[in-house]
Structures are given as structure tokens and as C-alpha cells.
Amino acid sequence: MVVSEHETFSAARPSPSKPQERCPMTDSPALPAVNREWHLVTRPVGWPKPEDFALVEAEVPTPGDGQVLVRNLYVSVDPYMRGRMSAAKSYAAPYELGKPMLGGAVGEVVASNAEGIAVGDHVLHFLGWREYAAVDAKSAVKVDPDAAPLSTYLGVLGMTGLTAYAGLLRTASFKEGDSVFVSGAAGAVGSQVGQIAKLKGASRVIGSAGSDEKVKLLLDEYGFDAAFNYKNGPVSEQLRAAAPDGVDVYFDNVGGDHLEAAIGSLNLNGRIAICGAISVYNNTEPAPGPKNLARLIQTRGRIEGFLVGDHYDLQPKFVEEVGPWVRTGELKYRETVVEGIENNLEAFLGVLRGDNTGKMIVKL
């Protein structure tokens, strides 16, 4: 497996893709004989195992009316995908056994049966975990590789960035002067939450992460006021030391002891936005809830979960505000890039382990 970690401070023009052979009759890339795609073959119990999945060879699909054939260049792996591997009812339909898995992807159109999208265009869609996908044009979004590197449309300028933006500003009702605590703060969402809070006038931003190296990143490059390694001691004690005056907003990516600690440090009229709970995703038994929920009565605190899909109306405002921050380098981001479709599963497991700094991307 080839893994590279890099940071980008502005939306510089990306390096050109590796050249492909072209078909002389259509000037589109010559298609391979097979299309490799990842299938879920068994629903994981506890931690996902390699034998729960299979990398399958299939025919390259032929796009139907209103569809385009996309050669995926980058695909996304995200914590929420663990929930879709279960048959339990949730906000997203479970992955079907024996069929290609789904996820964000960005790629080049190599054949088109749809108006408005031409061969050579680049599109964002949700048929990842495979090399080629026949995508309904109405569900594909054209993206500009000259405006930003293609991978950023899966991260800082994509669903990840909108998640941070909507969760902080709408769900948590952030306002200038708030003190903000972010768990999983070196991850793709958490790192943007903290930086957006600083850019919009937070009085103090505190982050937790799983290594001393990530703590240093939060402090030295992302501009957090305080950060701690949650493995170095009880989260509640470390949070009290980092935020002696309490917190007004907690953005939760972790759950468990982090949520309990945040409730314990919540100020009057504090708000908690629940984005994820990665600490319990692989539990085989229900995790106990925070023992101090009664403190919300005292603080008049509010806890609210959210899904980014409920906030796509913010997309234009998000791009308008965050895009310039990315271009000028005011908002920094990192990507951990794993190369090769054959390593898609290992990249996903790496997200669950916390191996990534920033957005985990698979480059095909």
C-alpha cells in the first residue's frame, strides 16, 4: 500500500493526470477489459474484517440514456460508511451484499449519453469504491480542476467542508466570542470546524486528537488555542485544564468520554452538535450514555444531532465564504492519500483507526 500525507494551503492547479491511451475514433480514453469494484459480502460484527469484503472484477458498464461513464480518479472513505455496513435501520440505506459499495468520488467523463456533460469533463458523484461508474447525469456535479485540485471536492470544498460549516454555524448556533471544543480535531471535519471558528471570531478553540504529532499540528498550523492527546489522561481532566472557563460550543465527532467531558465543561446556554461517534461504531453492545446528562438542566444546554444532507441549502453560501479562505491559505487542510483501488479497504479501516491526518483519499 502506498500512503502519502500532504497539506495544501491554497487551491493551486493540480498536476496533470497520468496520460492514457486514446481511442482514435472517439478521442476518449481506451477502456480496460475489466472494472474492479469493492463488494460487501458479509455484514461485519464488531471491527470489520478483510473477509467481510471482496475486490471483484466486472465488466466496464455501458452508460444508458441520460448517463455518463466516469473513470474515477479519487474516491472517498469516511467513518459514516461503517454504519451502512449494518442492516440496522439508519439515515442511509444499508449497503447491499454482493453489490458495489457507494461513496463519494470524482473522476473524468469518458463516455456521455447526456446533454450538458461532455467527454473530458470532471464530475463529482457517489458511486465510489470502483474504477468505472455509469452515473445518472442528474446526480453528477461538474467540477473545475483548474479552480481547485480534484481531491478537494471530496474534502475541504465538498461534503466534508459543508459538514463542518453547517454543524458549527447552524446546528451549534456559533456566535462571535464563543469558546469551542472539537473532538477528532485533526480529522477532515474537525480541523475545519476549529479553523472556521477562529476565522469567525471564537474566543478560544480547543481540540482533542489521538497523538502528540496531531496535537502539534492543531497548535502550530491550524491555529487552535489549546489541544490535548486524549490518550494521555482522562478527557474530562484535560478539557478542564485546556478550557478553565468552560466551553460554549462542543462539536462532537467521537462520542463516549468526550461527550461526557464536554457536558461537564459546558457553559450556561451551551450547545452541542453531534456529527459522529467514531468511538462506538464498532461496539457489539450498546455504549452507555453520558452519566451527567442532568447537568444540561443546570446549564440550559442543548444537544442536537445533524446530517449534512439536511443542509445543502447552505452550499452556495459555504462555497462563497470558504472558497476564498482556501485560495488565500487562511483555511489550511491536509489529505492522507492512499494509492490504488486494491487499497481502498485498508484506507477505510485506517479512518476507523485514526491513521489519517485530515481527509482520507484513495487515488486510483
Side-chain angles (χ1 to χ4, degrees):
M1 179 176 67
V2 181
V3 182
S4 64
E5 185 178 298
H6 60 276
E7 60 188 316
T8 308
F9 296 115
S10 63
R13 183 181 179 124
S15 301
S17 304
K18 184 165 58 177
Q20 281 195 306
E21 293 183 3
R22 315 292 290 190
C23 173
M25 294 185 64
T26 64
D27 198 37
S28 62
L31 299 181
V34 296
N35 179 33
R36 290 182 294 173
E37 52 190 37
W38 280 96
H39 291 193
L40 183 69
V41 295
T42 306
R43 300 205 181 277
V45 177
W47 193 271
K49 302 180 294 297
E51 52 266 33
D52 296 325
F53 307 84
L55 182 58
V56 176
E57 291 188 350
E59 292 184 2
V60 174
T62 300
D65 290 341
Q67 289 188 325
V68 294
L69 180 64
V70 180
R71 177 173 68 91
N72 287 335
L73 300 175
Y74 296 92
V75 300
S76 178
V77 288
D78 303 282
Y80 81 87
M81 294 174 174
R82 177 61 184 89
R84 300 194 69 178
M85 295 172 190
S86 168
K89 185 177 181 180
S90 184
Y91 61 86
Y95 289 136
E96 295 185 60
L97 296 180
K99 292 188 177 181
M101 295 165 61
L102 307 174
V106 62
E108 179 187 4
V109 175
V110 295
S112 177
N113 283 331
E115 293 184 7
I117 301 180
V119 170
D121 286 344
H122 292 83
V123 297
L124 173 69
H125 62 92
F126 288 94
L127 297 182
W129 288 80
R130 71 199 79 182
E131 292 176 307
Y132 287 82
V135 180
D136 290 338
K138 62 183 179 182
S139 64
V141 178
K142 286 203 292 187
V143 295
D144 184 358
D146 292 324
L150 286 173
S151 59
T152 63
Y153 294 106
L154 296 174
V156 65
L157 293 178
M159 185 174 69
T160 299
L162 182 60
T163 299
Y165 187 86
L168 176 69
L169 301 181
R170 177 175 282 174
T171 306
S173 303
F174 171 85
K175 61 183 183 297
E176 186 177 356
D178 278 343
S179 174
V180 178
F181 171 43
V182 187
S183 59
V189 173
S191 60
Q192 292 188 56
V193 171
Q195 291 183 83
I196 292 171
K198 289 291 291 183
L199 287 164
K200 295 188 77 68
S203 61
R204 189 169 178 80
V205 174
I206 305 99
S208 71
S211 73
D212 293 341
E213 292 78 12
K214 290 180 179 180
V215 167
K216 187 175 188 300
L217 173 69
L218 295 177
L219 296 172
D220 294 349
E221 298 187 24
Y222 291 157
F224 282 58
D225 298 291
F228 60 85
N229 181 346
Y230 67 83
K231 298 176 182 177
N232 288 347
V235 174
S236 58
E237 294 179 9
Q238 295 195 77
L239 178 57
R240 279 195 295 271
D245 297 323
V247 297
D248 302 300
V249 168
Y250 171 47
F251 193 103
D252 190 16
N253 292 303
V254 174
D257 55 355
H258 281 73
L259 177 57
E260 188 168 294
I263 293 172
S265 288
L266 203 63
N267 289 333
L268 187 68
N269 297 315
R271 290 88 65 202
I272 296 175
I274 305 293
C275 177
I278 198 170
S279 69
V280 301
Y281 284 167
N282 294 308
N283 288 5
T284 56
E285 298 293 334
K291 298 188 292 290
N292 57 349
L293 282 174
R295 192 170 185 278
L296 295 174
I297 302 171
Q298 175 186 347
T299 62
R300 288 71 143 182
R302 170 169 63 85
I303 299 179
E304 183 177 346
F306 75 99
L307 296 174
V308 66
D310 296 332
H311 302 281
Y312 282 133
D313 63 296
L314 288 177
Q315 181 77 20
K317 186 176 181 181
F318 160 70
V319 173
E320 179 184 357
E321 187 164 21
V322 175
W325 289 340
V326 173
R327 286 192 292 274
T328 61
E330 293 176 274
L331 196 152
K332 302 172 177 63
Y333 67 96
R334 285 204 178 196
E335 296 172 339
T336 300
V337 180
V338 173
E339 295 192 10
I341 185 70
E342 64 276 8
N343 293 312
N344 221 93
L345 174 60
E346 182 57 28
F348 167 70
L349 296 177
V351 170
L352 298 183
R353 292 191 299 261
D355 294 350
N356 57 302
T357 300
K359 185 75 179 77
M360 182 73 91
I361 300 284
V362 180
K363 181 181 180 180
L364 305 190

